[in-house]
């Protein structure tokens, strides 16, 4: 044990940065090199086919098979010129990862030879086996048929020798078995709803796009040390390990100089990501040691989700090339910050207007207030669902740990925007005029004063913070598929906008019928919007919170406000099956009740399996690694005590051996507690495994199995402090976190 541990640590210290040769071109010249983007489409497609494809991508026009055949031929020509021999339908099943089945282009030519073919039929549709993917009961094991269907709004790309085609994945009977299908439906719903509301302010708006800018946090550890930690290898996190004397308390890693090996990895990663069309923008050291972040430029949400999934896969490949392993678990190390994936979300029109950005005209600010308030309405009504959309067995370790937002959804608006909403809600016309005057603003509509871009501070404890022209959904986990949060958020906002328009239209009709109504300055629509906004500002007020989300007082206050304060991960998932959630998803055409029930079965089963694996790994490490080493050291101490007794008088030997005797006793007590804890852990697991219902089984694992992991860990971490360092079998935090 001694030789192995110190050997891998020594090798880690010796490693030098890999020399990464950057392309001779500038980044903008090789950006999208491996993507069949519009530039490639224009080059390889006939003009009429190109125009039809643009119409499909931009306007949702239907794609006919004749066009698909022409596109497939062009894709194959481009792919073959780039050394491609295979193609795959690349999709996102409910495993949180991606899936692909590679087929070659070759077919029999009927003359005893082979030809390379790729038709529109092969481009548009494939039939991967659906039996072994999580389906939550939608598909039985013996019912294997599933379909993947091309998503033309996300461009195909090349990985090594394979043409990757982004697709949805559905069952034989049409239910979604992936994240992309419901995401596309949610994006369509918010587009329709937001466009309708935009017409109050600008009838020329034809389309509203949901935008996403994710911030990917991650850890790097040396590959040799990773291999020497079975818990990291099998669960993605350390199930034991005492704090390093120095970790992040000096704040010296955050935004510090990037270590050479890491910088080489980042350069390599960025080059390959840019070639795949991922618009990498920002890189830096994060708060915790060996923690880093990569962030791209904002993109349309569907494409941004695909790019994040591509990047997470690419990170793992590139890291191994540089002698690292990437850790995307939200909390791989206890005692230091975990990793999130902040989702910066906004809506914009086809004529370039950001709907969550303040404007410089009264009409623009009325539109701004409308979309702010209706976003808050969606978040308020479905705060429990939004929490469920980002919750997982892994993210539960991070949320609320004084490093990430708490597991209570609230929204930070900042002083100026809060005052604006309060002003619209409470003030009468004269007061509004007076306030506008005091601010030195000459406004045509006194209710809506002019605002400035970046009018808020940042509240790092807020899960859903307004940051000037967008909202930052900060609670999303590092290894999560962003689509989960984006499906829930865009659906909730779409429902709020649909309801808003329905009530405004009804109010306009009421106002217009009144004979006494006369306002030469403002229309009936304007008055209706203001009235409905005032109602909604009052309704969604409980979701607004600008204070410290880490405080115990906030938990009590949030519960008083009616917000979801549940902490149990399996119970949080139940929010997907609330009648309000089902009604929303079904009314918008995003998901059916059957699909929601199936997804929850998958969530509960996944939670159980993750805790089950952790319990089995910890039991094995405890009994086969830690206890043998601890008792071996105990035997050395006992031998030392015997030798003392043989050399010195009984009185002196007793004094000299006092410390060792104390350690011998402590080791015996702690190993006994560990053995008992492992036995109880096994019994709790066996009992929970007998439960057939996935919901009840997940709750049993949460309540009876998971707590025992920390109880056992506590004893092991104490042993790490007293057992001879040369004997300790696993790399310690000081070695895992500070390797350069």
């Amino acid at each position: 044990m001694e030789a192995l541990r110190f050997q891998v640590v020594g090798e880690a210290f010796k490693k030098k940065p890999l020399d990464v040769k950057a392309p001779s071109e500038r980044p903008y010249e090789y950006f999208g090199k491996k993507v069949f983007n519009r530039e490639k489409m224009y080059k390889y497609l006939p003009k009429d086919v190109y125009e039809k494809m643009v119409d499909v991508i931009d306007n949702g026009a239907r794609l006919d098979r004749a066009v698909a055949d022409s596109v497939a031929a062009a894709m194959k020509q481009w792919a073959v010129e780039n050394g491609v021999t295979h193609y795959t339908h690349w999709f996102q099943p409910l495993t949180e990862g991606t899936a692909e089945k590679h087929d070659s282009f070759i077919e029999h030519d009927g003359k005893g030879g082979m030809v390379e073919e790729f038709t529109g039929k092969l481009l548009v549709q494939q039939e991967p086996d659906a039996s072994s993917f999580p389906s939550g009961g939608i598909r039985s094991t013996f019912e294997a048929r599933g379909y993947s269907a091309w998503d033309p709004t996300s461009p195909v790309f090349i990985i090594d020798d394979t043409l990757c085609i982004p697709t949805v994945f559905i069952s034989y009977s049409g239910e979604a078995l992936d994240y992309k299908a419901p995401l596309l439906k949610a994006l369509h719903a918010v587009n329709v709803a937001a466009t309708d509301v935009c017409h109050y302010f600008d009838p020329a708006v034809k389309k509203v796009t949901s935008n996403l800018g994710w911030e990917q946090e991650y850890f790097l550890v040396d590959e040799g040390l990773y291999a020497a930690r079975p818990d990291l290898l099998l669960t993605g996190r350390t199930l034991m390990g005492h704090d390093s004397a120095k970790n992040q308390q000096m704040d010296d890693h955050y935004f510090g100089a990037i270590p050479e090996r890491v910088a080489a990895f980042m350069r390599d990663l960025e080059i390959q990501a840019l070639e795949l069309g991922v618009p990498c923008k920002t890189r830096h050291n994060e708060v915790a040691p060996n923690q880093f972040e990569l962030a791209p430029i904002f993109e349309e949400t569907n494409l941004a989700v695909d790019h994040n999934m591509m990047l997470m896969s690419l990170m793992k490949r590139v890291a191994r090339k540089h002698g690292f392993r990437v850790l995307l678990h939200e909390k791989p190390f206890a005692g230091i910050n975990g990793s999130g994936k902040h989702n910066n979300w906004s809506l914009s029109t086809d004529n370039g207007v950001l709907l969550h950005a303040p404007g410089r005209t009264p009409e623009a600010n009325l539109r701004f207030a409308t979309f702010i308030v209706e976003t808050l309405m969606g978040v308020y009504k479905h705060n429990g669902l939004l929490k469920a959309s980002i919750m997982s067995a892994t993210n539960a370790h991070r949320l609320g740990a004084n490093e990430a937002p708490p597991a209570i959804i609230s929204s930070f608006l900042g002083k100026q925007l809060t005052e604006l909403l309060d002003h619209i809600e409470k003030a009468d016309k004269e007061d509004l005029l007076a306030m506008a005057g005091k601010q030195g603003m000459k406004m045509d509509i006194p209710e809506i004063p002019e605002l400035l871009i970046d009018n808020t501070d940042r509240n790092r404890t807020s899960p859903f913070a307004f940051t000037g022209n967008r909202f930052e959904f900060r609670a999303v986990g590092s290894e999560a598929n962003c689509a989960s949060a984006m499906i829930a958020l865009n659906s909730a906002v779409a429902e709020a906008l649909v309801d808003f328009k329905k009530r405004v239209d009804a109010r306009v009709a009421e106002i217009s019928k009144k004979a006494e109504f006369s306002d030469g300055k403002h229309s009936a629509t304007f008055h209706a919007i203001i009235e409905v906004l005032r109602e909604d500002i009052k309704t969604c007020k409980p979701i607004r919170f600008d204070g410290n989300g880490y405080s115990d007082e906030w938990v009590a206050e949030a519960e008083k406000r009616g917000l979801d304060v549940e902490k149990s991960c399996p119970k949080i998932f139940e929010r997907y099956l609330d009648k309000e959630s089902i009604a929303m998803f079904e009314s918008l055409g995003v998901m059916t009740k059957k699909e929601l029930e199936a997804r929850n079965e998958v969530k509960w089963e996944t939670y159980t399996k993750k805790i089950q694996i952790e319990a089995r790994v910890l039991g094995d490490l405890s009994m086969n690694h830690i206890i043998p080493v601890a008792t071996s050291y105990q035997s050395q101490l006992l031998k030392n005590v015997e030798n003392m007794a043989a050399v010195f008088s009984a009185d002196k030997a007793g004094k000299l051996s006092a410390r060792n005797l104390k350690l011998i006793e402590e080791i015996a007590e702690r190993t006994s507690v560990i053995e008992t804890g492992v036995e109880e852990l096994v019994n709790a697991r066996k009992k929970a495994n007998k439960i057939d219902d996935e919901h009840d089984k997940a709750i049993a694992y949460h309540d009876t199995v998971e707590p025992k992991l920390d109880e056992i860990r506590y004893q092991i971490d104490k042993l790490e402090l007293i057992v001879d360092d040369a004997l300790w079998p696993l790399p310690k935090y000081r070695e895992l976190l500070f390797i350069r």
Side-chain angles (χ1 to χ4, degrees):
M1 286 294 185
E2 176 183 352
L4 175 61
R5 171 167 162 244
F6 284 99
Q7 179 181 349
V8 295
V9 172
E11 289 300 318
F13 273 112
K14 293 176 185 176
K15 287 182 179 176
K16 302 296 182 185
L18 193 65
D19 186 22
V20 178
K21 298 294 185 183
S24 57
E25 311 102 312
R26 300 298 298 168
Y28 67 87
E29 295 178 292
Y30 59 83
F31 177 74
K33 176 182 178 182
K34 296 184 178 180
V35 183
F36 195 73
N37 52 23
R38 295 199 185 200
E39 178 188 1
K40 312 292 194 321
M41 287 168 52
Y42 186 81
K43 177 179 178 182
Y44 286 88
L45 292 175
K47 183 179 179 181
D48 61 325
V49 175
Y50 171 79
E51 290 174 351
K52 289 179 181 179
M53 278 300 299
V54 170
D55 192 28
V56 169
I57 295 169
D58 290 347
N59 304 316
R62 185 167 295 277
L63 178 73
D64 62 55
R65 284 300 175 92
V67 171
D69 283 334
S70 182
V71 173
M75 283 183 181
K76 183 176 81 72
Q77 180 185 349
W78 169 71
V80 169
E81 290 174 4
N82 284 274
V84 169
T85 58
H86 289 67
Y87 66 93
T88 183
H89 276 201
W90 180 87
F91 56 97
Q92 300 166 30
L94 302 178
T95 58
E96 302 300 324
T98 59
E100 52 199 62
K101 174 175 73 77
H102 296 199
D103 288 311
S104 70
F105 287 136
I106 62 170
E107 297 286 348
H108 286 293
D109 66 357
K111 302 175 183 178
M114 290 287 184
V115 294
E116 288 191 320
E117 284 188 0
F118 184 57
T119 64
K121 180 181 178 181
L122 298 175
L123 167 64
V124 170
Q125 179 179 316
Q126 268 194 331
E127 188 183 323
D129 187 338
S131 62
S132 296
F133 289 109
S135 70
I138 284 180
R139 306 296 295 148
S140 300
T141 302
F142 60 86
E143 297 174 312
R145 197 181 299 275
Y147 295 108
S148 54
W150 176 37
D151 170 19
T153 64
S154 185
V156 303
F157 54 94
I158 295 172
I159 297 289
D160 296 331
D161 63 353
T162 303
L163 183 70
C164 299
I165 305 162
T167 63
V168 300
F169 183 47
I170 60 175
S171 71
Y172 177 72
S173 48
E175 293 90 358
L177 297 175
D178 69 341
Y179 282 106
K180 182 182 276 285
L183 175 64
L184 290 173
K185 293 176 181 178
L187 297 177
H188 173 72
V190 81
N191 167 31
V192 172
T195 299
D196 285 346
V197 172
C198 279
H199 288 163
Y200 289 138
F201 311 100
D202 182 2
V205 172
K206 296 179 180 179
K207 182 179 180 180
V208 171
T209 300
S210 169
N211 308 299
L212 171 63
W214 40 263
E215 303 169 24
Q216 182 68 59
E217 295 176 344
Y218 60 95
F219 281 87
L220 291 175
V221 295
D222 187 87
E223 189 167 28
L225 299 176
Y226 174 87
R229 291 284 311 218
D231 49 355
L232 272 181
L233 186 67
L234 297 175
T235 74
R237 76 179 182 109
T238 52
L239 299 175
M240 60 191 70
H242 198 280
D243 290 349
S244 171
K246 179 184 184 297
N247 47 53
Q248 67 186 45
Q249 67 266 51
M250 298 302 295
D251 300 319
D252 55 347
H253 188 258
Y254 191 45
F255 284 4
I258 299 172
E260 280 189 86
R261 282 183 64 198
V262 176
F265 156 77
M266 287 180 169
R267 283 193 295 273
D268 201 356
L269 174 63
E270 285 183 4
I271 290 168
Q272 296 190 46
L274 288 167
E275 288 181 339
L276 288 169
V278 183
C280 300
K281 176 71 173 178
T282 303
R283 65 188 185 199
H284 63 82
N285 290 0
E286 256 299 335
V287 175
N290 274 16
Q291 186 187 32
F292 309 94
E293 180 179 298
L294 183 152
I297 300 170
F298 277 53
E299 299 180 283
E300 183 275 327
T301 295
N302 177 46
L303 181 59
V305 169
D306 283 359
H307 279 167
N308 184 247
M309 298 304 291
M310 290 162 56
L311 182 88
M312 288 193 290
S313 177
L314 184 62
M315 288 172 76
K316 296 172 184 178
R317 298 177 60 202
V318 176
R320 296 195 69 173
K321 175 181 169 184
H322 289 259
F324 289 119
R325 285 297 186 108
V326 167
L327 303 181
L328 293 175
H329 191 292
E330 282 79 7
K331 192 74 171 179
F333 303 103
I336 61 173
N337 280 17
S339 296
K341 178 154 49 194
H342 301 173
N343 278 206
N344 295 277
W345 170 85
S346 65
L347 297 174
S348 62
T349 67
D350 56 313
N351 53 10
V353 175
L354 279 173
L355 296 176
H356 291 109
R360 294 191 176 277
T361 67
E363 291 78 8
N365 280 326
L366 179 58
R367 180 189 60 218
F368 163 70
T370 296
F371 278 91
I372 289 291
V373 172
E374 295 315 308
T375 296
L376 293 175
M377 280 291 289
V379 174
Y380 169 61
K381 183 176 179 181
H382 295 288
N383 69 93
L385 173 65
L386 287 171
K387 181 164 71 172
S389 76
I390 53 85
M391 184 53 68
S392 67
T394 54
N395 203 22
H397 291 285
R398 164 181 166 262
L399 295 179
N402 287 342
E403 67 194 60
I408 301 171
I409 300 298
S410 66
S411 184
F412 166 83
L413 299 182
K415 184 174 183 291
Q416 190 174 0
L417 185 51
T418 296
E419 289 179 350
L420 169 68
L421 298 189
D422 290 344
H423 190 53
I424 295 173
E425 175 194 352
K426 298 175 182 178
D428 59 30
K429 190 171 183 180
E430 287 71 23
D431 289 337
L432 288 167
L433 280 168
M435 181 175 181
K438 288 178 183 177
Q439 291 178 333
M441 296 181 181
K442 185 177 180 182
M443 305 297 294
D444 294 326
I445 302 176
E447 289 89 341
I448 312 296
E450 181 179 351
L451 300 179
L452 301 176
I453 300 295
D454 295 330
N455 50 62
T456 72
D457 197 352
R458 290 178 179 264
N459 186 329
R460 64 189 301 272
T461 73
S462 177
F464 195 76
F466 180 68
T467 56
N469 57 6
R470 63 189 181 276
F471 282 93
E472 184 178 16
F473 197 2
R474 302 184 68 253
V476 183
S478 173
E479 69 177 4
N481 187 324
C482 297
S484 178
M486 290 296 102
I487 291 167
L489 176 59
N490 284 284
S491 297
V493 174
E495 183 193 51
L497 290 169
V498 168
D499 182 63
F500 173 80
K501 186 174 189 304
K502 181 179 179 181
R503 288 183 293 134
V504 168
D505 288 348
R507 199 68 55 87
V508 169
E510 292 174 9
I511 294 172
S512 299
K513 287 179 182 177
K514 295 179 180 179
E516 67 274 14
F517 174 75
S518 176
D519 184 344
K521 194 170 186 180
H522 302 305
S523 66
T525 300
F526 164 79
H527 285 278
I529 290 173
I530 291 294
E531 288 178 15
V532 174
L533 278 183
R534 282 178 163 167
E535 293 173 0
D536 289 352
I537 288 169
K538 294 176 184 177
T539 300
C540 69
K541 188 171 288 187
I543 204 69
R544 290 159 48 189
F545 178 66
D546 288 3
N548 180 9
Y550 295 155
S551 68
D552 293 335
E553 291 79 10
W554 167 233
V555 177
E557 172 63 21
E559 188 170 14
K560 188 186 302 182
R561 294 185 183 192
L563 303 181
D564 192 309
V565 297
E566 179 61 60
K567 294 182 179 179
S568 168
C569 186
K571 291 182 180 178
I572 290 171
F573 292 148
E574 295 171 9
R575 300 287 71 76
Y576 273 98
L577 301 180
D578 288 345
K579 62 181 181 179
E580 295 85 1
S581 299
I582 294 172
M584 176 190 73
F585 284 124
E586 289 194 329
S587 68
L588 296 172
V590 174
M591 283 186 281
T592 64
K593 181 179 179 182
K594 181 180 179 181
E595 289 173 315
L596 290 167
E597 290 173 339
R599 281 163 192 267
N600 261 31
E601 287 291 306
V602 173
K603 289 177 182 293
W604 287 319
E605 184 180 9
T606 300
Y607 177 86
T608 295
K609 288 179 177 178
K610 284 184 178 290
I611 305 302
Q612 185 181 71
I613 291 169
E614 290 187 353
R616 294 177 67 181
V617 171
L618 182 61
D620 172 58
L621 289 176
S622 299
M623 302 306 295
N624 297 318
H625 290 68
I626 304 305
I627 289 181
V629 166
T631 53
S632 176
Y633 181 56
Q634 186 183 49
S635 296
Q636 291 182 18
L637 295 176
L638 284 167
K639 185 66 175 176
N640 179 269
V641 171
E642 291 177 3
N643 291 340
M644 288 287 188
V647 174
F648 300 105
S649 65
D651 184 54
K652 190 169 184 178
K655 290 180 181 179
L656 294 173
S657 301
R659 178 180 178 276
N660 285 352
L661 288 169
K662 184 178 179 181
L663 291 176
I664 290 167
E665 182 179 2
E666 183 177 352
I667 291 171
E669 290 174 350
R670 294 196 184 282
T671 54
S672 176
V673 173
I674 292 171
E675 287 177 332
T676 301
V678 171
E679 183 179 354
E680 292 175 350
L681 182 67
V682 171
N683 291 335
R685 205 174 74 236
K686 288 180 178 178
K687 185 177 180 180
N689 288 341
K690 293 178 181 179
I691 301 173
D692 292 328
D693 183 83
E694 291 295 345
H695 168 266
D696 295 344
K697 184 188 290 187
I699 289 177
Y701 261 86
H702 177 273
D703 294 347
T704 66
V705 177
E706 187 176 19
K708 298 187 184 302
L709 300 179
D710 287 336
E711 294 170 8
I712 295 170
R713 176 181 188 145
Y714 176 81
Q715 302 298 331
I716 294 174
D717 290 355
K718 290 297 183 182
L719 285 176
E720 183 183 319
L721 291 178
I722 61 176
V723 171
D724 186 348
D725 183 63
L727 295 178
W728 197 253
L730 305 175
K732 298 183 176 182
Y733 273 21
R734 67 168 186 256
E735 297 155 353
L736 290 165
L737 292 171
F738 295 97
I739 295 298
R740 293 292 183 266

